[in-house]
Amino acid sequence: MSQPQQLRDESDFDQLPDNIPISATIADIEEKKGFIDYFRFVVEVKTKGGSKYLIYRRYREFFSLHQTLESKYSPDDPDRPGPNACVLPPLPGKIYIGNKKEIAEGRIPELNTYMKRLLGLPTWLLLDDTVRMFFYQTEQDSQHAPRALRRLRPPTRKVKTVKEPKMDLFSSPRAEAMFDFRGNGKAELNLKRGEVIFLLRRVNADWLEGTVNNQTGIFPESFVKIIKPLPESDSEGEGGGHTYSCLRCFLLTPSGVETRDVCVQEALTIQPTYNELVSRMRNVFKVDDIALNYRDPEGDLIRLLDDEDVQLMIKEGRRQQGRVQRPVNQFPWELHVSMASDLSVYGTEP
């Protein structure tokens, strides 16, 4: 690089705002038990002003960022980029089959290289709104407590373990399983009749979170007998742990309606994709050939066909939010699941 060009680049960098991201490194991965189970990357971002913070991003958000930048800045001829074009670093491709954790772990070096090269591109690209929003710490990012941050921890010497006094487990809040319960997804516990579950907190009026057989998850209170109740604060859902949101869903069959509350480790503001909802409902009701629907304000069933329909359903649910009384951690929209070939639920025939 010529000296005039180098001085010009340094001058451009000096004029950048202090909150512009200049480096980013993946500190860890975390499993998220949402409508589908997935892993997201915990990214430590450093800004020009010297501040550091953590953001949480899925691979599909990296993919969306890359697609947007490609559409805006990729040159028609990579060997002769124009003034408003640049050659973007390669992003690791999608992987459709394999262990999700292993896939996420394997992507870390490539994504670190991608972010390093991306933030090393000309300074005008760092000012792009798409780049700034990707590395911006949202309110949800700032409120989330990281679990491990393995790659940011310095090496430490092995220290002697101090044995803690043994805790009397039977002084803890607990319940006994009265029936077998098979959980749907990793967020829910599997219970066998007679097992003792140590209670952690109340999720909502019908569900509790607890530990049994070294596994932690949620389960319906109707399947257990409370031996020692939770303290009042934890009973009201103010205890620590994950935040669960519950979706009321209905399976419509010729023999009747089956109702389920599906609890996921997501905020109430989440907008799941159509495919995520289909996958989760197939798992919940153990039926493959299904259609997803919601009820409009007139009470008619509307079939969902794609992500835009899901967004419309969520928007309509939020509009009706004040008119229907629901628990504070229940989604303002509901899913009605029908058989794909059953058109009688719509009150019309083809």
Coordinates of all heavy atoms in Angstrom, one line a residue, residues 19 26 42 54 75 139 161 193 208 228 237 331:
N19 N -18.4 4.3 18.8 CA -19.2 3.1 19.0 C -19.2 2.2 17.8 O -19.9 1.2 17.8 CB -20.6 3.5 19.3 CG -21.3 4.2 18.2 OD1 -20.7 4.6 17.2 ND2 -22.6 4.5 18.3
I26 N -15.7 -14.9 18.9 CA -16.7 -15.8 19.5 C -16.1 -16.4 20.8 O -15.1 -17.0 20.9 CB -17.1 -17.0 18.6 CG1 -17.8 -16.4 17.4 CG2 -17.9 -18.0 19.3 CD1 -18.1 -17.5 16.3
V42 N -21.9 -16.8 21.2 CA -21.7 -15.6 22.2 C -20.5 -14.9 21.6 O -19.4 -15.4 21.6 CB -21.5 -16.1 23.6 CG1 -21.4 -14.9 24.5 CG2 -22.5 -17.1 24.0
L54 N -21.1 -8.1 24.9 CA -21.5 -9.4 24.3 C -22.8 -9.3 23.5 O -23.7 -8.6 23.9 CB -21.6 -10.5 25.4 CG -20.4 -10.8 26.3 CD1 -20.7 -11.8 27.4 CD2 -19.3 -11.3 25.4
P75 N -18.8 -6.7 -6.2 CA -18.6 -6.2 -7.5 C -18.9 -7.2 -8.6 O -18.9 -8.4 -8.4 CB -17.0 -6.0 -7.5 CG -16.5 -7.0 -6.6 CD -17.6 -7.1 -5.5
E139 N -31.2 -4.7 23.6 CA -31.6 -4.7 25.1 C -31.6 -6.2 25.5 O -31.2 -6.5 26.7 CB -32.9 -4.1 25.2 CG -33.4 -4.0 26.7 CD -34.7 -3.3 26.8 OE1 -35.3 -2.8 25.8 OE2 -35.3 -3.3 28.0
T161 N -9.7 -28.6 45.8 CA -11.2 -28.5 46.0 C -11.6 -28.5 47.4 O -11.1 -29.5 48.2 CB -11.9 -29.6 45.2 OG1 -11.5 -29.5 43.8 CG2 -13.4 -29.4 45.3
R193 N -43.5 -42.4 37.5 CA -44.3 -42.4 38.8 C -43.4 -42.8 40.0 O -42.7 -43.7 39.9 CB -45.5 -43.3 38.6 CG -46.4 -43.4 39.8 CD -47.5 -44.3 39.6 NE -48.4 -44.4 40.8 CZ -49.4 -45.1 40.9 NH1 -49.8 -45.9 39.9 NH2 -50.2 -45.1 42.0
L208 N -44.1 -26.2 36.4 CA -43.0 -25.9 37.3 C -41.7 -26.3 36.7 O -41.7 -27.0 35.7 CB -43.2 -26.8 38.6 CG -44.4 -26.6 39.4 CD1 -44.7 -27.7 40.4 CD2 -44.3 -25.3 40.2
K228 N -43.2 -30.4 49.5 CA -42.9 -29.2 50.2 C -42.9 -28.1 49.1 O -42.2 -28.1 48.1 CB -41.5 -29.3 50.8 CG -41.1 -28.0 51.5 CD -39.8 -28.1 52.3 CE -39.5 -26.8 53.0 NZ -38.3 -26.9 53.8
G237 N -42.8 -16.9 40.3 CA -42.0 -16.9 39.1 C -40.9 -15.8 39.1 O -40.4 -15.4 38.1
F331 N -47.8 -16.4 25.1 CA -47.8 -15.6 23.9 C -49.2 -15.1 23.6 O -50.2 -15.7 23.9 CB -47.4 -16.6 22.7 CG -45.9 -16.9 22.7 CD1 -45.5 -18.1 23.2 CD2 -45.0 -16.0 22.2 CE1 -44.1 -18.4 23.2 CE2 -43.7 -16.3 22.2 CZ -43.2 -17.5 22.7

